[in-house]
């Protein structure tokens, strides 16, 4: 740490862009190769095992969707609060949210799999079950599809609009664009909250249509935040290791992202515990089924692993200041948390297919490879078309001299 | 907690008190005093000037560890108390919940952990700062009253190995002190 | 002002670059065309450190004004009413309230949750805004923390007095006794005992630690008895940098602890209801929903108090319109979270297919307490929408009036949750209506009396602004002049365009 105030870095313009021959420019290609391999293998393996295919595909798609949505949320809140510290790292989130149109492509095939995923999509099931009949006004295929289209249209719309204005600001440096984005961010956050809540109800909660929980949207949202801050930590560190933005994204930014990661790990635990605890305490059968299922057979150790691995271990690991300021330690923690976030989504989805115990399948990995590859390709493509930091942000200079408390 | 008076070596002169006009002046002066090798000295300001601890060469404080230790102790005490009461001392069948119903013990455990951490932070801070110390030689200086208002000071104790009445005063004036006075014990 | 860079204003830009205590998030320097916000410094008039000391210390050193007496005396009268109400309650029993079967909780627990909620804004301003490095908190955090402590005092009265046998209230504490009895720790009411009292204790510790430097300031300005009292309270603080270093760490740790404390305390309070099996009470979103509501009502109370206090003590240049702007936006945010929860509860009540759940919500909106429900919705969801408008956020009158409406709405929210769920639950033959008695209302008014009495005493005897913290966010507090990096960019060298030639400020 410097003895004096952070001296102004003398920054060469090349610092802000991805050099033409840099390995990272090949990210779209690598990502696409992974995507094709993964998705191809998934289709090959999955045609004979459709339920497994769709469930695994759902987990993988939700994983990358949660990162993209987390990016969108970060961008919106940074604009809404007129934040100054985040300029140097905001493009990471902007690139993450730019993948949303591609993630929409991942969800399109899932609509074909609705029959295997959603019990309520079968007319005979609805006819024989009064609860499903009651929910028919909401849980029916046409409305569900329309809602999905609406969610993705909203998210893609927001991502494209904010991304486009940010890029335009790179060129023109107009402050007016920041003001427009700030004014738009508040209604955008309202739209975000409503769409993410109902998307989580649709795609996750209705997998078990008899069950319900008012906090479920918040729970999914908390997972998105853990995911995005883990992702941003990894990218910020990887960028530095790759020789990009070395003097721009400093240990202070990584520390700050690490603090946010820590805070939202605690927030996730708070929401997850609230949900579990209240259902446990009330002990009402129509609610407890959700957890009873996840505490039976080999799901039980998975649940314990989730509690310990997604909260207890990362909480104490990320607590010390030194860890958040060490690239290696923070990267390890972030990678671990991405894995835990994936486990969280797996734990939400898979017990609907594999009752009585975990049954990992090759399709889980191939679909993850496919979805992850697509996400990386889209991320890489987005980061190639623009500068690595939002050059026109009026507060960029403040971000460059940012110091954590 | 400390006694109400500071424990100082015998002597009738406490040291020198130098006043500086601005936080920036104080900062640079502190670097000078630190680099000159003094150890028994201190800076005084009405608010914590950012970066001054580095300028003085202070090491990070152990307070977080004290707070963490007491937080863990508080949490353990909470879980332990509730567990013991509910399983051994006074077990009650409450709507069929198990006797060691740990989820229900989490709220109080958490609160006691926070209380432990807070007590550790506050009373640890008092202990490390040796507060209350209601009387100190520096309070004998009239000008020193401005330390809590808008004054910036450096005090160097006379028991410091490098202390010399005139040389140290010269050093301080050279570093930008607007006023240097001797403080008696 | 219309899209221009701030390059030409070194003072404002310097203040945005200072990495003081706490370091800025740029909120001093938003690119905003609004005349009030653009380049508005947090502390107006460019005061010196001594000016801040004077502004904060002077009100204590002169006799109380007529305005103060006009606030204090009615508050003491209401406090007296509280004493009478509690005395009568202990003498006659809980039957003096309007409680019946099935409505076993009404005003008592509504007031408890209301006061705990009010307290949360203080901790949020002190702790959470500190962690987010929002410099603007320094003008209001002392008063807000004091408000927290007094609110918790008011809150703790109600669980204490509402038990049927208050003379054995000590049974709630885990003290070894001759009966070999222990509390039942699985009860949310026990968690409340610990949570709220620990919250009060930690808030008091945080407040006291924050006060120490200012107590020293008052000590150094005083003579005689006042000097002795403040000297004792200041513990001999001598503004030593070695002490400041440990102090700052303690402050940071306390802020870091107070943040989860705020979340946990009101979550635990919400569990009084959510752990039950009652429709309208048992729902998983209660913890974060209650926390958001608490912050909402707490900020409303801070606004109410600050509008009066800043005028009464001449602190308009320290507690500025910009502070109110931020507080109004926070109210808008938390109000919308509360509205989100209302909508979500309704949706899930239908989605669940649970007939009792759906009836509860229909009953709230259209049953005998519909008047309370729609008061709640109007005050909490509709009226705060006015905060979208800059004109409203910039008008002290609007802020004052709206903040009172918000508090009315939040009181009714707790009333609606508690009473409507109780008065008509599973068995129609048990349905009954609750009407408050004189003593219900008297106790409630009395609690406001306690709160305002304590607050009046606070503003009379203690520094109401954290002077040392305000000084640390003044532009002249920085040890190094702020330096921005010089970013030289040429337009044609960046893919997709470039920055204008210099972004140095």
């Amino acid at each position: 740490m410097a003895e004096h105030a952070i001296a102004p870095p003398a920054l060469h313009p090349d610092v802000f862009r991805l050099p033409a021959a840099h390995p990272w420019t090949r990210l779209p290609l690598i990502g696409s190769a992974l995507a094709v391999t993964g998705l191809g293998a998934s289709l090959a393996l999955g045609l004979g095992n459709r339920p497994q295919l769709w469930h695994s595909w759902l987990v993988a798609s939700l994983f990358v969707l949660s990162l993209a949505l987390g990016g969108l949320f970060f961008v919106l809140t940074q604009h809404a609060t007129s934040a100054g510290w985040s300029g140097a790292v905001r493009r990471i989130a902007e690139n993450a949210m730019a993948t949303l149109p591609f993630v929409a492509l991942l969800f399109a095939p899932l609509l074909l799999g609705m029959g295997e995923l959603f019990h309520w999509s079968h007319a005979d099931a609805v006819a024989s079950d009064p609860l499903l009949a009651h929910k028919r006004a909401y849980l029916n295929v046409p409305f569900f599809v329309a809602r999905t289209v609406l969610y993705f249209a909203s998210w893609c719309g927001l991502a494209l609009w904010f991304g486009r204005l940010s890029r335009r600001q790179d060129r023109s440096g107009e402050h007016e664009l920041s003001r427009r984005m700030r004014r738009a961010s508040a209604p955008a956050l309202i739209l975000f909250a409503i769409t993410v809540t109902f998307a989580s109800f649709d795609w996750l909660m209705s997998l078990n249509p008899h069950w319900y929980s008012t906090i479920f949207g918040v729970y999914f949202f908390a997972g998105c935040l853990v995911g995005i801050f883990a992702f941003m930590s990894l990218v910020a560190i990887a960028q530095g290791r790759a020789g990009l933005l070395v003097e721009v994204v400093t240990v202070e930014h990584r520390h700050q992202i690490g603090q946010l990661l820590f805070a939202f790990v605690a927030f996730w635990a708070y929401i997850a515990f609230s949900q579990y605890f209240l259902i446990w305490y009330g002990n009402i059968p129509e609610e407890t089924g959700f957890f009873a299922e996840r505490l039976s057979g080999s799901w039980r150790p998975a649940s314990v692993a989730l509690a310990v691995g997604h909260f207890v271990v990362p909480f104490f690991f990320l607590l010390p200041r030194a860890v958040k300021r060490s690239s290696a330690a923070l990267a390890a923690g972030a990678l671990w948390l991405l894995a835990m976030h994936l486990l969280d989504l797996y734990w939400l989805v898979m017990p609907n297919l594999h009752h009585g115990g975990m049954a990992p399948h090759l399709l889980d990995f191939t679909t993850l490879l496919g979805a992850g590859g697509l996400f990386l390709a889209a991320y890489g493509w987005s980061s190639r078309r623009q500068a690595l930091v939002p050059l026109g942000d009026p507060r960029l200079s403040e971000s460059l001299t940012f110091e954590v408390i | 907690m400390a006694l109400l008076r500071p424990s100082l070596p015998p002597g009738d002169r406490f040291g020198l008190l130098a006043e500086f006009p601005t936080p920036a002046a104080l900062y640079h002066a502190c670097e000078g005093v630190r680099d000159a090798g003094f150890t028994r000295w201190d800076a005084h300001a009405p608010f914590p000037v950012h970066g001054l601890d580095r300028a003085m060469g202070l090491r990070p404080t152990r307070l977080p560890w004290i707070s963490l230790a007491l937080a863990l102790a508080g949490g353990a005490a909470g879980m332990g108390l509730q567990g013991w009461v509910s399983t051994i001392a006074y077990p009650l069948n409450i709507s069929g919940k198990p006797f060691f119903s740990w989820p229900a013990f989490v709220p109080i455990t958490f609160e006691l952990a926070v209380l432990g951490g807070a007590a550790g932070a506050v009373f640890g801070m008092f202990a490390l700062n040796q507060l209350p110390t209601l009387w100190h030689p520096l309070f004998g200086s009239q000008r020193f009253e401005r330390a809590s208002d808008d004054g910036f000071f450096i005090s160097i104790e006379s028991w410091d190995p490098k202390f010399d009445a005139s040389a140290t005063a010269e050093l301080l004036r050279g570093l930008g002190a607007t006023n240097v006075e001797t403080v008696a014990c | 002002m219309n899209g221009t860079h701030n390059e030409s204003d070194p003072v404002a830009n310097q203040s945005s670059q200072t990495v003081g205590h706490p370091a800025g998030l740029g909120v001093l320097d938003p690119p905003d065309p609004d005349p009030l916000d653009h380049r508005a410094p947090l502390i107006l008039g460019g005061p010196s450190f001594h000016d801040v000391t004077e502004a904060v210390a002077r009100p204590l050193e002169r006799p109380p004004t007529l305005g103060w007496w006009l606030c204090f005396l009615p508050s003491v009268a209401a406090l007296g009413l509280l004493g009478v109400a509690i005395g009568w309650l202990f003498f006659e029993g809980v039957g003096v309230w309007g409680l019946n079967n099935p409505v076993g909780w009404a005003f008592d627990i509504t007031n408890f949750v209301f006061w705990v909620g009010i307290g949360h804004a203080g901790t949020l301003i002190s702790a959470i805004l500190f962690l987010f490095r929002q410099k603007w908190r320094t003008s209001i955090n002392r008063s807000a923390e004091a408000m927290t402590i007094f609110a918790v005092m008011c809150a703790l009265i109600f669980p204490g007095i509402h038990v049927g046998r208050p003379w054995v209230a000590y049974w709630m504490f885990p003290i070894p006794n001759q009966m070999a009895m222990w509390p039942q720790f699985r009860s949310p009411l026990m968690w409340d005992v610990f949570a709220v009292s620990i919250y009060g204790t930690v808030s008091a510790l945080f407040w006291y630690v924050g006060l120490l430097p200012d107590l020293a300031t008052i000590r150094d300005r005083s003579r005689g008895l006042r000097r002795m009292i403040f000297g004792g309270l200041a513990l001999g603080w001598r503004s030593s940098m070695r002490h400041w270093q440990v102090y700052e760490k303690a402050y940071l740790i306390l802020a870091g602890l107070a943040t989860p404390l705020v979340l946990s305390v009101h979550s635990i309070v919400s569990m009084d209801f959510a752990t039950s099996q009652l429709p309208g009470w048992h729902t998983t979103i209660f913890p974060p929903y209650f926390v958001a509501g608490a912050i909402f009502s707490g900020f409303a109370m801070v606004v109410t108090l600050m509008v009066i206090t800043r005028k009464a003590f001449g602190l308009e240049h320290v507690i500025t319109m910009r502070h109110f702007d931020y507080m109004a936006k926070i109210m808008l945010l938390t109000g919308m979270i509360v509205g989100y929860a209302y909508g979500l509860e309704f949706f899930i009540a239908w989605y669940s297919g649970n007939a009792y759940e759906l009836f509860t919500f229909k009953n709230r909106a259209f049953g005998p307490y519909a008047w309370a429900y729609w008061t709640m919705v109007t005050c909490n969801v509709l009226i705060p929408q006015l905060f979208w408008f800059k004109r409203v956020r910039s008008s002290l009158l609007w802020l004052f009036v709206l903040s009172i409406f918000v508090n009315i709405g939040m009181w009714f929210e707790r009333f609606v949750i508690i009473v409507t769920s109780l008065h008509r639950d599973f068995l129609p033959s048990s349905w009954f209506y609750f009407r408050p008695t004189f003593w219900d209302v008297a106790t409630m008014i009395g609690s406001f009396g306690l709160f305002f009495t304590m607050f009046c005493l606070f503003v009379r005897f203690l520094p109401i602004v954290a002077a040392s913290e305000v000084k640390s966010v003044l532009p002249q507090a920085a040890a190094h002049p702020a330096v921005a990096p010089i970013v030289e960019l040429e337009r044609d060298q960046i893919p997709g365009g470039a920055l204008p030639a210099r972004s140095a400020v």
Side-chain angles (χ1 to χ4, degrees):
Chain A
M1 211 154 52
E3 285 275 285
H4 302 267
I6 295 184
L11 294 168
H12 191 275
D14 282 345
V15 164
F16 293 114
R17 60 178 220 217
L18 197 56
H22 195 277
W24 280 34
T25 55
R26 292 200 285 279
L27 211 50
L29 203 60
I30 299 170
S32 304
L34 290 173
V36 166
T37 316
L39 295 174
S42 304
L43 285 171
L45 287 168
L47 282 175
N49 187 354
R50 301 267 266 269
Q52 181 67 60
L53 171 68
W54 296 125
H55 282 83
S56 301
W57 192 300
L58 180 62
V59 173
S61 307
L62 285 170
F63 181 69
V64 301
L65 176 66
S66 66
L67 297 181
L69 287 176
L72 176 60
F73 179 77
F74 184 77
V75 172
L76 293 177
T77 45
Q78 298 307 295
H79 283 300
T81 56
S82 305
W85 74 273
S86 54
V89 295
R90 202 175 74 228
R91 255 306 136 77
I92 302 174
E94 289 183 9
N95 290 328
M97 78 182 183
T99 67
L100 277 164
F102 299 90
V103 177
L105 291 177
L106 269 180
F107 270 74
L110 275 172
L111 292 173
L112 297 172
M114 278 175 70
E116 272 92 10
L117 286 170
F118 301 110
H119 191 55
W120 51 263
S121 62
H122 299 279
D124 50 338
V126 174
S128 61
D129 184 336
L131 259 184
L132 292 184
H134 167 83
K135 301 183 200 218
R136 202 174 35 202
Y138 184 76
L139 291 181
N140 61 72
V141 176
F143 193 15
F144 184 92
V145 173
R147 285 198 304 273
T148 302
V149 169
L150 180 67
Y151 304 145
F152 277 101
S154 310
W155 299 333
C156 293
L158 288 175
L160 290 172
W161 191 84
F162 279 89
R164 202 186 47 193
L165 252 64
S166 184
R167 263 196 304 284
R168 183 162 11 138
Q169 200 182 40
D170 281 4
R171 288 189 288 280
S172 67
E174 294 166 67
H175 285 206
E176 180 56 31
L177 292 173
S178 285
R179 270 180 229 119
R180 278 177 65 188
M181 286 194 277
R182 187 170 65 122
R183 279 197 292 266
S185 62
L189 280 167
I190 296 171
L191 181 62
F192 180 89
I194 297 172
T195 49
V196 170
T197 301
F198 284 96
S200 71
F201 288 171
D202 287 355
W203 285 99
L204 281 167
M205 201 167 82
S206 75
L207 288 170
N208 183 347
H210 284 189
W211 185 74
Y212 58 91
S213 164
T214 37
I215 207 177
F216 196 82
V218 186
Y219 180 74
F220 176 69
F221 167 69
C224 293
L225 290 179
V226 172
I228 189 62
F229 288 121
F231 181 72
M232 283 176 74
S233 306
L234 284 172
V235 174
I237 293 167
Q239 271 179 344
R241 292 284 160 93
L244 298 169
L245 297 177
V246 171
E247 272 176 332
V248 177
V249 175
T250 64
V251 65
E252 307 292 336
H253 298 108
R254 294 193 293 269
H255 185 172
Q256 178 66 27
I257 297 176
Q259 281 182 338
L260 288 167
L261 182 59
F262 172 77
F264 285 104
V265 162
F267 179 70
W268 176 89
Y270 162 67
I271 300 295
F273 183 73
S274 295
Q275 186 169 250
Y276 170 71
F277 183 48
L278 293 173
I279 289 178
W280 173 85
Y281 202 103
N283 208 16
I284 299 173
E286 72 181 353
E287 294 178 340
T288 55
F290 179 85
F291 287 105
E293 180 127 61
R294 286 160 180 77
L295 291 170
S296 63
S298 61
W299 283 115
R300 192 181 193 97
S303 302
V304 174
L306 189 61
V308 171
H310 201 303
F311 172 60
V312 181
V313 169
F315 181 86
F316 287 103
F317 181 74
L318 288 173
L319 190 57
R321 187 186 160 95
V323 166
K324 295 187 281 272
R325 293 182 82 85
S326 149
S327 285
L330 182 60
L335 200 58
W336 173 266
L337 278 166
L338 272 181
M340 287 296 114
H341 175 52
L342 180 64
L343 177 64
D344 187 21
L345 289 167
Y346 187 86
W347 179 87
L348 282 172
V349 172
M350 282 305 172
N352 296 297
L353 179 65
H354 300 297
H355 308 277
M358 280 181 78
H361 193 280
L362 198 56
L363 274 168
D364 297 327
F365 299 97
T366 57
T367 48
L368 184 62
L369 194 66
L374 181 63
F375 180 80
L376 278 172
Y379 182 91
W381 175 74
S382 175
S383 62
R384 273 177 58 168
R385 3 176 350 218
Q386 53 193 351
L388 292 170
V389 297
L391 295 170
D393 188 301
R395 295 218 175 83
L396 185 62
S397 50
E398 185 185 329
S399 176
L400 296 177
T401 51
F402 166 71
E403 260 186 21
V404 171
I405 300 179
Chain B
M1 274 210 234
L3 305 170
L4 296 181
R5 283 174 173 261
S7 52
L8 293 169
D12 59 359
R13 181 173 56 192
F14 174 76
L16 292 174
L17 182 69
E19 189 172 350
F20 295 85
T22 65
L26 180 66
Y27 186 94
H28 292 113
C30 284
E31 290 181 309
V33 174
R34 174 197 69 197
D35 294 339
F38 287 94
T39 49
R40 292 189 67 131
W41 66 289
D42 206 349
H44 306 264
F47 55 87
V49 179
H50 186 79
L52 205 64
D53 50 347
R54 272 174 286 155
M56 288 174 69
L58 297 179
R59 286 205 326 269
T61 158
R62 291 165 294 160
L63 188 66
W65 296 105
I66 300 175
S67 178
L68 180 65
L70 282 174
L72 292 172
M79 189 56 88
L81 173 69
Q82 293 176 93
W84 176 73
V85 164
S86 307
T87 54
I88 298 169
Y90 201 60
L92 292 167
N93 185 340
I94 306 293
S95 56
K97 291 184 177 54
F99 287 131
F100 187 70
S101 41
W102 69 266
F105 299 154
V106 165
I108 290 181
T109 302
F110 179 82
E111 297 298 331
L112 285 173
V114 169
L115 181 65
V122 174
F123 296 105
M125 187 262 287
F126 287 160
L128 289 174
N129 283 347
Q130 298 185 321
L131 293 174
T133 300
L134 291 180
W135 185 87
H136 191 275
L138 284 172
F139 290 136
S141 155
Q142 193 73 4
R143 295 190 78 99
F144 189 67
E145 278 181 1
R146 292 187 63 188
S148 62
D149 178 7
D150 62 352
F152 302 91
F153 296 87
I154 287 181
S155 65
I156 303 185
E157 294 180 23
S158 60
W159 302 281
D160 187 298
K162 291 207 155 50
F163 183 83
D164 172 83
S166 52
T168 309
E170 271 311 305
L171 170 71
L172 288 168
R173 281 196 200 91
L175 289 170
T178 54
N179 183 64
V180 180
E181 64 179 282
T182 311
V183 177
C185 258
Chain C
M1 230 185 247
N2 300 311
T4 50
H5 226 347
N6 300 323
E7 291 182 66
S8 54
D9 194 323
V11 174
N13 295 320
Q14 185 176 41
S15 54
S16 80
Q17 295 291 347
T18 52
V19 269
H21 162 76
L25 259 181
V27 289
L28 280 177
D29 199 14
D32 195 331
D34 301 291
L36 280 173
D37 217 6
H38 183 61
R39 287 190 243 161
L42 277 178
I43 314 297
L44 301 172
S48 67
F49 298 127
H50 185 68
D51 291 337
V52 174
T53 305
E54 282 290 319
V56 172
R58 226 181 312 115
L60 316 176
E61 294 165 349
R62 55 161 203 252
T65 62
L66 178 64
W68 184 82
W69 286 109
L70 286 175
C71 292
F72 183 65
L73 291 175
S75 304
V76 175
L79 177 60
L81 179 62
L82 179 69
V84 170
I86 293 178
W88 184 240
L89 174 74
F90 284 179
F91 186 77
E92 272 289 298
V94 185
V96 303
W97 288 344
L99 300 176
N100 55 45
N101 213 339
V103 185
W105 276 353
F107 270 52
D108 44 0
I109 300 303
T110 303
N111 289 326
F112 167 64
V113 181
F114 175 76
W115 283 115
V116 178
I118 297 262
H120 281 19
T123 317
L124 187 125
I125 292 172
S126 287
I128 299 177
L129 291 181
F130 176 76
L131 295 177
F132 285 147
R133 286 182 307 288
Q134 300 291 312
K135 287 187 184 181
W136 58 276
R137 64 180 271 286
T138 53
S139 304
I140 52 176
N141 68 325
R142 173 71 44 72
S143 306
E145 286 162 31
M147 187 191 80
T148 294
I149 295 166
F150 306 144
V152 170
M153 286 166 62
C154 292
L156 277 172
I157 288 174
F158 289 97
I161 64 175
H162 91 308
V163 298
R165 294 177 292 168
W167 52 92
V168 290
Y170 68 90
W171 285 354
M172 287 191 282
F173 297 99
I175 307 168
N177 55 64
Q178 76 282 14
M179 301 171 288
M181 280 175 65
W182 291 91
Q184 199 279 90
F185 286 113
R186 294 183 212 93
S187 162
L189 308 182
M190 272 304 298
W191 309 335
D192 276 350
V193 169
F194 278 77
V196 182
S197 50
I198 289 175
Y199 181 51
T201 307
V202 174
S203 297
L205 285 173
F206 196 12
W207 185 66
Y208 180 59
V209 166
L211 262 173
L212 270 178
D214 290 352
L215 293 173
T217 306
I218 307 285
R219 168 199 69 198
D220 291 338
R221 288 168 60 94
S222 317
R223 299 285 173 259
L225 180 65
R226 195 207 299 275
R227 190 183 183 101
M228 272 177 51
I229 294 176
F230 278 89
L233 291 172
L235 304 182
W237 182 260
R238 53 182 195 269
S239 311
S240 144
M241 197 57 219
R242 291 175 191 266
H243 290 184
W244 275 121
Q245 186 206 27
V246 186
Y247 174 94
E248 281 207 284
K249 198 52 119 186
Y251 200 95
L252 178 63
I253 294 172
L254 281 169
L257 286 173
T259 303
L261 190 60
V262 163
L263 294 177
S264 65
V265 168
H266 222 60
S267 302
I268 290 172
V269 168
S270 81
M271 288 175 188
D272 287 346
F273 314 110
T275 50
S276 71
Q277 295 170 330
L278 205 58
W281 278 18
H282 181 68
T283 182
T284 45
I285 203 170
F286 261 28
Y289 156 48
F290 265 55
V291 173
I295 295 168
F296 185 40
S297 63
F299 267 86
M301 185 61 89
V302 171
V303 167
T304 308
L305 291 173
M306 289 298 105
V307 167
I308 300 174
T309 311
R310 74 196 277 274
K311 186 85 180 153
F313 290 92
L315 290 168
E316 289 97 329
H317 61 295
V318 176
I319 304 171
T320 66
M321 290 316 295
R322 200 163 144 192
H323 294 89
F324 285 111
D325 188 68
Y326 292 141
M327 290 197 275
K329 284 177 179 166
I330 290 177
M331 280 200 276
L332 184 59
L333 169 69
T334 46
M336 304 219 66
I337 295 175
V338 165
Y340 165 89
Y342 291 165
L344 205 57
E345 280 186 300
F346 237 112
F347 173 75
I348 295 285
W350 170 81
Y351 178 88
S352 67
N354 182 326
Y356 304 105
E357 196 80 37
L358 192 53
F359 172 76
T360 298
F361 284 90
K362 280 193 198 151
N363 182 50
R364 277 189 190 175
F366 306 113
Y369 284 105
W371 59 274
Y373 180 82
W374 291 107
T375 304
M376 170 186 100
V377 171
T378 307
C379 292
N380 291 342
V381 183
L382 297 176
I383 287 183
Q385 299 304 313
L386 290 169
F387 284 130
W388 284 106
F389 301 104
K390 184 80 187 180
R391 279 186 58 191
V392 171
R393 296 198 302 270
S394 318
S395 154
L396 285 174
L397 181 62
W398 273 109
L399 286 165
F400 186 73
V401 169
L402 293 187
S403 66
I404 291 181
F405 271 112
V406 167
N407 266 323
I408 292 173
M410 284 309 295
W411 190 92
F412 272 101
E413 180 189 285
R414 279 60 170 256
F415 179 80
V416 163
I417 290 174
I418 294 173
V419 175
T420 63
S421 300
L422 284 173
H423 98 288
R424 282 186 178 182
D425 62 7
F426 299 102
L427 204 55
S429 61
S430 301
W431 291 359
F432 205 69
Y433 194 76
F434 164 82
R435 277 196 178 76
T437 62
F438 169 78
W439 296 107
D440 278 305
V441 179
T443 317
M444 181 180 76
I445 294 175
S447 68
F448 277 90
L450 173 64
F451 181 78
F452 285 110
T453 302
M454 298 299 304
F455 199 79
C456 285
L457 290 174
F458 160 69
V459 303
R460 171 72 191 95
F461 290 112
L462 288 172
I464 61 175
V465 170
S468 65
E469 295 191 41
V470 168
K471 288 175 193 169
S472 72
V473 302
L474 290 176
Q476 62 266 38
H480 334 280
V483 192
I486 297 170
V487 181
E488 305 248 19
L489 297 168
E490 302 300 323
R491 271 184 190 278
D492 54 4
Q493 286 190 316
I494 310 293
L499 199 61
R502 285 179 74 96
S503 74
V505 289

